Amino acid sequence: MLSPKSAETVRATLPAVSGAIGEITTLFYEKLFAAHPELLRDLFNRGNQANGSQRQALAGSIAAFAGHLLDHPDDRPDGMLARIAHKHASLGVREDQYPIVREHLFAAIADVLGDAVTDDVVRAWDEVYWLMAHALIAVEKRLLREAGVRDGAGWRPYRVAGRIEETDEVATFLLRPADGAPVPASRSGQYVSVQVQLPDGARQIRQYSLSGQPDGGLQISVKRVAAGRRSGGPGDAPAGEVSQYLHTQVHGGEILYVSPPFGEVVLSDGDGPLLFASAGIGCTPMAGMLAHLAATGSRRRIITAHADRSPATHPFRTDLRRLTGKLADATAELWYEEGARDEEEGAERAPGGAVDAVTVRTGLMDLTQLTIPAGTTAYLCGPVPFMKAVRAQLLEAGVPSAAIHYEVFGPDLGLQVPRQAILGDAHPGRVAR
């Protein structure tokens, strides 16, 4: 896809760009927000900017895309592009914003690398940028068209019709269209963006997995994000602005602006075995998938594995037992770091289900204790260290890499290197969020 001359230049300069890309992206965002403060106020996640995770994600995506063009010149990294395009479509990123990003990114590259940025280098990296940008724009237009979005009018008012306290930290919100029109179609595993106006006037956006599919509405579940270090994150982070707002200010009757559902990690069709592995609030997309399977009377072999600090912090704990009992061939495997004995540690009967439907253990998730059926498709969600460890265990059990799917809450830091590499270099990590 790259012209031969540009490919040669990119190959020669990729180590220098990669080595300085942290400095480049830091300067890029400074320039971008100085010229367009409305982007920080109303589009970018201010919390992710504060802790640097968004900057790492941008750096990783550019380096990964350039590396793929060099290593696989005859194809595009469509999986990576699809993940980014779904996020962009959900956030309302516009085509006319790509030249703005290009302007400030290349200004930052020139400032950091200095005389090394010759005209040939600029032309080569400009080719990389626009190959990536035009590919994303094309996918985003298709996604918006399929979602019925016209003229960029993707935000739609929803009224909060109900709220359920799942745990002390997690609340579920039932949303119904304020205009009374039908809800958009969605697939289990997808997410929506929610836009709220904060006290300082900023319209901040966050993305939340659909945790269920109620008739005539959408359902999201939100964990209150406290200040401090995030598991798998780059450093200390401020308290979540939007999650705090939803928990303290939204109790029923309020209007929230919500995007159509997007997301490429969705429940597969077919009748093969499934494994859902989650930690903490990572169980939200799994809850939606499990509810769909129960509602459709699925007879697939289903293993739901979840890890949490304790039964008290486990969202959807009661729903998990109920849904497991409704399914013909499902089991739940639970690991708690503390309080497992309060849940009758060991095997037990789920309501209406078979003996051994729910098993509770103390400690960190260890899938080597389970028998993973041949032909299993796995879905992972939780902190990146958790997913690294779980993915390694699944590969060891014979699950092919292509059958392991994952969802990341927040910027996909896995794009800093090819996704197979970051999720392949497993190391132990805490599994509770």
Side-chain angles (χ1 to χ4, degrees):
M1 294 170 61
L2 271 177
S3 65
K5 183 176 181 180
S6 290
E8 181 181 349
T9 301
V10 170
R11 190 180 302 278
T13 55
L14 181 58
V17 172
S18 298
I21 207 158
E23 186 179 357
I24 289 169
T25 51
T26 296
L27 183 57
F28 155 68
Y29 279 113
E30 291 175 0
K31 291 177 177 291
L32 177 68
F33 296 145
H36 297 276
E38 73 280 2
L39 294 179
L40 179 59
R41 186 184 65 238
D42 298 335
L43 179 61
F44 285 86
N45 182 319
R46 296 192 295 196
N48 289 340
Q49 286 296 317
N51 68 18
S53 58
Q54 178 65 52
R55 301 177 184 192
Q56 292 186 41
L58 174 71
S61 66
I62 295 169
F65 185 79
H68 187 96
L69 292 179
L70 296 176
D71 296 338
H72 307 280
D74 295 328
D75 61 37
R76 297 184 314 195
D78 287 337
M80 182 186 81
L81 293 172
R83 180 174 292 260
I84 298 172
H86 275 271
K87 297 283 188 185
H88 283 185
S90 177
L91 291 168
V93 172
R94 305 192 312 266
E95 181 177 358
D96 62 0
Q97 291 168 333
Y98 280 90
I100 296 172
V101 169
R102 189 267 176 211
E103 174 189 352
H104 296 288
L105 178 60
F106 276 65
I109 291 173
D111 285 357
V112 172
L113 298 184
D115 293 342
V117 183
T118 63
D119 289 345
D120 285 344
V121 169
V122 171
R123 281 191 291 268
W125 281 95
D126 195 54
E127 190 173 339
V128 171
Y129 179 83
W130 285 112
L131 281 171
M132 185 174 183
H134 287 312
L136 288 172
I137 290 167
V139 177
E140 288 156 19
K141 284 183 175 180
R142 174 178 60 79
L143 292 173
L144 292 170
R145 185 170 61 251
E146 292 172 352
V149 175
R150 298 290 183 269
D151 301 322
W155 297 107
R156 184 176 173 188
Y158 281 72
R159 188 173 302 279
V160 179
R163 170 173 169 159
I164 301 170
E165 304 302 320
E166 305 288 353
T167 72
D168 290 345
E169 299 177 329
V170 178
T172 290
F173 298 89
L174 175 60
L175 312 174
R176 298 196 186 280
D179 58 9
V183 296
S186 64
R187 296 185 64 184
S188 298
Q190 291 190 308
Y191 53 82
V192 294
S193 286
V194 176
Q195 182 190 74
V196 301
Q197 184 167 354
L198 298 174
D200 66 355
R203 295 183 180 274
Q204 283 282 284
I205 303 168
R206 299 295 184 271
Q207 294 168 327
Y208 298 109
S209 294
L210 297 174
S211 56
Q213 295 177 316
D215 291 339
L218 299 174
Q219 177 180 304
I220 61 172
S221 300
V222 180
K223 178 179 179 179
R224 185 200 302 260
V225 179
R229 186 168 183 81
R230 309 279 191 265
S231 180
D236 288 343
E241 290 186 288
V242 175
S243 70
Q244 295 284 346
Y245 178 90
L246 292 173
H247 271 262
T248 60
Q249 304 298 322
V250 178
H251 301 281
E254 298 85 356
I255 295 294
L256 299 176
Y257 286 86
V258 182
S259 76
F262 291 100
E264 86 290 359
V265 180
V266 296
L267 184 62
S268 65
D269 296 325
D271 56 8
L274 297 168
L275 183 142
F276 304 127
S278 59
I281 194 61
C283 65
T284 49
M286 312 308 185
M289 291 182 183
L290 202 61
H292 172 77
L293 291 164
T296 56
S298 174
R299 305 192 66 81
R300 300 171 78 166
R301 174 72 179 104
I302 301 166
I303 301 172
T304 302
H306 180 75
D308 227 303
R309 293 195 304 273
S310 72
T313 62
H314 179 180
F316 313 113
R317 180 166 54 96
T318 301
D319 289 342
L320 173 59
R321 294 173 180 275
R322 175 179 57 82
L323 294 171
T324 299
K326 288 181 64 174
L327 288 157
D329 190 11
T331 55
E333 311 288 340
L334 307 178
W335 281 264
Y336 297 125
E337 295 181 53
E338 57 189 47
R341 294 188 183 281
D342 297 336
E343 286 289 290
E344 301 178 30
E345 188 171 4
E348 58 185 78
R349 182 188 299 271
V355 173
D356 297 341
V358 180
T359 302
V360 181
R361 300 176 176 85
T362 297
L364 307 182
M365 183 181 290
D366 181 6
L367 297 186
T368 64
Q369 300 177 19
L370 309 182
T371 299
I372 310 298
T376 289
T377 299
Y379 295 88
L380 318 181
C381 190
V384 170
F386 162 81
M387 292 194 291
K388 287 181 180 181
V390 170
R391 184 178 186 275
Q393 293 171 9
L394 291 172
L395 292 172
E396 185 67 23
V399 180
S401 177
I404 303 174
H405 309 279
Y406 74 94
E407 183 61 85
V408 176
F409 289 165
D412 190 346
L413 301 183
L415 293 177
Q416 293 181 75
V417 294
R419 281 169 48 181
Q420 191 156 340
I422 190 167
L423 290 182
D425 181 20
H427 61 76
R430 294 183 64 82
V431 298
R433 298 192 72 189

